[in-house]
Amino acid sequence: MYGRYGNNGNSEDSGERGDSGKGKDGLFGRENFDESPGRRKVTDYPEREGRGGMKNGQPAPSGLSPWLRVWIHPRQVTRDFLYSSNPLKNALLLALIAGIFNALNSASGRNAGDDMSAGGIAVSVVISGIVGGLATYYIVSWLLRLIGGWLGGTGSTKDMRVVSGRIYGMLGIMVGLLWIPELLIAGMENFTSLTPNLDESVGRSMLYLGLIMLELVFGVWSFIAILHATGEAHGFSAWKSLLLYVILFFAVLIVAFVLIFVVLTVFGVTLGVFGI
């Protein structure tokens, strides 16, 4: 076996059908949102006992465990968060923890163990994970609000922090928990290009491969859930959320390319001045 690499990534809502006969939920479906201009109104959420119904003129919490429900009803969980008394409860902490798990995936994908010790990997993962979590919570949330607004979304930056903090954080942490058995099985070989100890045992190798496949499946599932959550916060479909993330990806790519070009140019000029 040669290294391992994971990905971070969302799911489907239930298959209820609206008056038009089209599924409101489904893989990239719609659930009680209005794409017309303006913030969603409480009347957009039909009264359903114990499932996001109305209480004192406001959407009532569903009373369901968000850690489990977010996998199958991400819109409903997002709605509960958005209309709760404390929408950003633990959002930053969740984003930071998910960022650390994402940094583990990154360290594994680049085979950091080929050049670094276990302690060095741990320190780099914590630092890069915290930086990544902060960037996701503050910068990416702002970009999601900005680009989503171009596409007709009505979500605020605070709404996007609910998505990038609480929704992305919960999903990222739950997928990241698969790192526990992976570390127990493979140890440092999670971060190296060569895996002699795993190769010696067919059983361990198959178990490890199964965990990697499971991580991949849940990563894709969680990405779909994030699309629905973003769509709920912005008031549009998951398909439009997908377009939002595609635009975001290329925008970040272009900005990163420009920054690298500027840094290399300035650095090259500086070295030329000093005759290096």
Side-chain angles (χ1 to χ4, degrees), residues 207-226:
L207 181 58
Y208 182 77
L209 180 61
L211 288 170
I212 297 300
M213 295 302 297
L214 189 63
E215 182 181 355
L216 178 61
V217 169
F218 278 107
V220 173
W221 191 350
S222 64
F223 178 65
I224 296 174
I226 290 173

Side-chain angles (χ1 to χ4, degrees), residues 3-18:
R4 52 113 29 222
Y5 44 90
N7 214 342
N8 205 343
N10 299 253
S11 171
E12 315 171 342
D13 289 354
S14 61
E16 297 177 15
R17 304 185 68 84

